[in-house]
Amino acid sequence: MCSSRDAELRRARVAALIASAALAVSGCSGGGQDGAEGQGKSAACAPGVHSWTSRPCELLAGAPPAEGFTVGSTTDSADPDTREDIGEKGTRHRYRQAGCLAGLTGADGASWKLSATAAVYEDAGPARRAYRIKEDLDRAHGRGPERVHDAAYGKPADDQGRPGRTLLLWNGDLLLSVTAYGPYGSKEHDVREDLGRIVENTARLVEDGLRDGDAPSPVRTTS
């Protein structure tokens, strides 16, 4: 009975961490609203708020991904060419994508893994549609999702036996995916809280780094 209750508490803590990631990024997620009307709603940034970068791994240099962790080797993935997202009735929405793969070292010297992928669209609508499609696919394939609010959800991940955690976040013209994996041989219940902290902090660092300081103020959107 105690172990079951402990597991429930751990899941609740991690859910809160992921929620804080979505609610904290740039103040564009409606976390400041009071009352029942504000719950579950998101205030996405206006289109054009985020910019593409050719050096996404530099965004992770501002702070450790979680207490006791350090970032080791990193690999940038940043194609300057614009991609097309085929939408309804053949519409072609344009976006550019950048990503970072990083090795992490825990306080005990164990090796963890982190990846972040940011797609910056020319408009918020297509980014929101891409988010909804991913959410629907994950739900259809039984991979969650664990809904955080209207514009973010988490789900478990796995990499050849390494337990992981993914946070997917939509924020205006930005579609952001962050995944972290624990060490080889680790158990999901042992690393779940650290995975939550890592994806939370990484999402905040990446969103902050891509946000244009001269961008217009956030605008309220409806789900």
Side-chain angles (χ1 to χ4, degrees):
M1 179 70 71
C2 291
S3 61
S4 176
R5 179 173 176 78
D6 289 344
E8 291 179 0
L9 290 173
R10 282 194 296 269
R11 285 193 292 269
R13 283 195 293 269
V14 173
L17 285 171
I18 295 176
S20 67
L23 295 175
V25 285
S26 75
C28 299
S29 49
Q33 269 199 332
D34 296 326
E37 291 184 0
Q39 297 178 1
K41 295 294 182 180
S42 62
C45 291
V49 166
H50 301 91
S51 300
W52 179 85
T53 177
S54 62
R55 297 180 178 179
C57 288
E58 290 186 356
L59 303 178
L60 306 182
E67 184 177 356
F69 287 84
T70 57
V71 178
S73 61
T74 59
T75 303
D76 284 316
S77 173
D79 187 350
D81 294 332
T82 302
R83 304 186 183 189
E84 289 186 340
D85 183 0
I86 308 301
E88 297 177 355
K89 299 180 180 179
T91 55
R92 297 177 178 270
H93 304 292
R94 295 162 64 85
Y95 68 97
R96 290 204 292 175
Q97 185 167 294
C100 177
L101 178 64
L104 305 179
T105 301
D108 59 355
S111 297
W112 298 54
K113 188 166 68 173
L114 171 67
S115 65
T117 302
V120 180
Y121 284 75
E122 292 184 347
D123 193 20
R128 181 181 185 276
R129 174 182 173 276
Y131 169 83
R132 294 302 187 202
I133 289 175
K134 290 180 181 293
E135 184 181 30
D136 290 343
L137 287 174
D138 282 332
R139 182 180 295 108
H141 288 88
R143 294 191 292 263
E146 299 173 15
R147 192 92 174 261
V148 176
H149 63 73
D150 186 56
Y153 69 88
K155 64 177 182 178
D158 182 88
D159 179 26
Q160 299 180 349
R162 302 177 71 169
R165 187 76 181 169
T166 295
L167 170 67
L168 192 72
L169 173 70
W170 164 64
N171 198 351
D173 56 359
L174 175 69
L175 181 63
L176 176 62
S177 177
V178 179
T179 301
Y181 296 101
Y184 284 110
S186 58
K187 301 298 183 182
E188 192 274 343
H189 62 272
D190 292 329
V191 299
R192 185 177 176 91
E193 289 188 31
D194 282 330
L195 291 172
R197 294 187 184 98
I198 291 170
V199 297
E200 169 199 355
N201 292 335
T202 301
R204 184 179 296 112
L205 286 171
V206 173
E207 199 281 334
D208 282 347
L210 293 177
R211 186 164 15 96
D212 185 352
D214 296 327
S217 300
V219 295
R220 170 71 47 189
T221 62
T222 56
S223 58

